[in-house]
Amino acid sequence: VRTLFVSVKLPASVGVILTGFAFSYFIQVDIFVGRDLLQELSFFLVLLTAGLEISLADLRAYLFVMAWLPCTTELLAITVYAV
């Protein structure tokens, strides 16, 4: 559905919203059965899409520091607490 909307030069999000509406209206009972699995899958797909849209040219040194500093601090705190 997304590809259809993009080919007609409409926003892809409109196609995604309409598809979600159709699924929730017509196939609601079947979706509730696998709701937890679908939520995990959709979260993974959002993260994967966001990760694939990042280019190395956009990354700066301070972004690495802001990403690695909290992780390193947390790992050091866990290590100190474990000892």
Side-chain angles (χ1 to χ4, degrees):
V1 173
R2 179 186 177 277
T3 308
L4 176 69
F5 275 78
V6 171
S7 65
V8 184
K9 306 244 189 255
L10 289 171
S13 58
V14 174
V16 172
I17 290 171
L18 289 177
T19 303
F21 175 74
F23 279 150
S24 68
Y25 187 71
F26 296 113
I27 315 173
Q28 189 170 8
V29 176
D30 296 334
I31 287 183
F32 280 142
V33 173
R35 179 178 172 205
D36 294 332
L37 179 64
L38 288 172
Q39 282 181 341
E40 290 178 17
L41 180 63
S42 64
F43 183 68
F44 171 75
L45 290 175
V46 166
L47 290 178
L48 181 68
T49 303
L52 290 176
E53 290 179 358
I54 295 175
S55 67
L56 290 177
D58 294 337
L59 299 178
R60 305 284 184 250
Y62 69 90
L63 293 176
F64 285 111
V65 172
M66 291 178 69
W68 286 101
L69 187 64
C71 295
T72 306
T73 306
E74 185 176 349
L75 286 173
L76 288 174
I78 292 171
T79 305
V80 168
Y81 181 74
V83 173

